[in-house]
Amino acid sequence: MKNYLNYQSSEYDCGSVSITNGIRYLFDREEISPDILKCIMLYTMDTYNEQGQPCRHGTSAAAMRFVGSWLNQLAAVRSFPIQTQFLFGNDVTLSPDSEISQALLHGAAVVLRLFLEVPHYVLLTGISKDEVFFFDPYYEEEGTPEFDAEYYAKGIRFIYDQPKCANRAVSLERINRLSHGYYELGEFSCREALLMFRTSGECEWNA
């Protein structure tokens, strides 16, 4: 059975939760080895803020790349059907022929760094001609005092009936912008993405 996707427990674990959500999106609960979840939490939230406090600057690109490499190693030695690919810079775009767009069309999940006031990770799960669909792990509720007016900007749409795959739809025009507005990728120098593919229909990790 597929799990619902998760929301953050703190202000800082969007990267950890988005990788875990990628696993939850691609695999049934019964297929997920517990050491995968342990690894994700162990190696993410690896940064320090300006005051020297651990974990309070989220997850670094280096940690994202490392967890992806760890998952590839797991696939090689344990027959777990996953393959990941880390992209950065000019390769991180959502044009029709881009690696990310093609991966989504073939059923992949993509952990993507974008902006939500600050750098933030979400999980892309689908794409259409005009929009990309993703799960944002930062919980927001319309009608509450904390709900930001920026969510009503053109090109942002909330999804309420797909808890196992998406809670946002954002226009491709918006997400590809070079600026730092809500759900925009920003300049190429700060872009990164972790592509996650399921490579077969069977899991043999517990065989």
Side-chain angles (χ1 to χ4, degrees), residues 50-100:
E50 291 78 4
Q51 289 74 45
Q53 296 171 308
C55 306
R56 292 177 179 252
H57 199 62
T59 297
S60 69
M64 278 286 169
R65 187 193 293 265
F66 178 83
V67 172
S69 177
W70 187 92
L71 289 169
N72 290 340
Q73 177 70 7
L74 179 74
V77 302
R78 196 92 69 79
S79 299
F80 189 76
I82 193 169
Q83 183 70 34
T84 75
Q85 180 183 0
F86 184 80
L87 302 178
F88 62 94
N90 291 347
D91 290 329
V92 180
T93 185
L94 279 87
S95 60
D97 297 325
S98 69
E99 290 188 74
I100 293 176

Side-chain angles (χ1 to χ4, degrees), residues 73-206:
Q73 177 70 7
L74 179 74
V77 302
R78 196 92 69 79
S79 299
F80 189 76
I82 193 169
Q83 183 70 34
T84 75
Q85 180 183 0
F86 184 80
L87 302 178
F88 62 94
N90 291 347
D91 290 329
V92 180
T93 185
L94 279 87
S95 60
D97 297 325
S98 69
E99 290 188 74
I100 293 176
S101 298
Q102 290 301 308
L104 291 171
L105 290 172
H106 287 86
V110 178
V111 178
L112 182 71
R113 182 188 189 270
L114 41 65
F115 285 90
L116 190 67
E117 291 187 340
V118 295
H120 181 59
Y121 290 105
V122 300
L123 183 75
L124 308 186
T125 56
I127 194 167
S128 69
K129 179 181 178 182
D130 302 311
E131 292 180 310
V132 62
F133 307 99
F134 59 82
F135 192 90
D136 181 355
Y138 195 79
Y139 183 75
E140 292 283 2
E141 188 172 343
E142 287 191 86
T144 61
E146 297 84 7
F147 191 79
D148 293 332
E150 286 85 353
Y151 286 112
Y152 292 119
K154 183 179 180 181
I156 298 175
R157 182 164 61 88
F158 276 59
I159 298 172
Y160 296 103
D161 59 350
Q162 299 183 42
K164 295 182 180 182
C165 60
N167 60 9
R168 301 285 189 277
V170 171
S171 70
L172 296 180
E173 184 278 326
R174 182 180 191 89
I175 202 168
N176 279 311
R177 291 177 187 173
L178 298 172
S179 44
H180 293 183
Y182 274 37
Y183 300 134
E184 297 173 1
L185 282 171
E187 59 271 22
F188 286 103
S189 61
C190 67
R191 296 186 181 191
E192 61 181 85
L194 181 67
L195 282 58
M196 305 172 68
F197 302 87
R198 178 166 185 150
T199 57
S200 75
E202 297 182 0
C203 290
E204 302 175 11
W205 67 268
N206 59 350

Side-chain angles (χ1 to χ4, degrees), residues 9-84:
S9 297
S10 74
E11 293 287 326
Y12 310 101
D13 57 327
C14 59
S16 314
V17 173
S18 291
I19 301 174
T20 302
N21 279 343
I23 297 294
R24 293 165 74 97
Y25 175 75
L26 294 172
F27 298 96
D28 290 347
R29 179 178 59 210
E30 297 81 5
E31 298 176 310
I32 299 172
S33 171
D35 57 334
I36 294 175
L37 307 178
K38 179 181 178 180
C39 169
I40 293 169
M41 293 308 300
L42 182 63
Y43 294 113
T44 54
M45 287 192 291
D46 58 315
T47 62
Y48 291 80
N49 66 7
E50 291 78 4
Q51 289 74 45
Q53 296 171 308
C55 306
R56 292 177 179 252
H57 199 62
T59 297
S60 69
M64 278 286 169
R65 187 193 293 265
F66 178 83
V67 172
S69 177
W70 187 92
L71 289 169
N72 290 340
Q73 177 70 7
L74 179 74
V77 302
R78 196 92 69 79
S79 299
F80 189 76
I82 193 169
Q83 183 70 34
T84 75

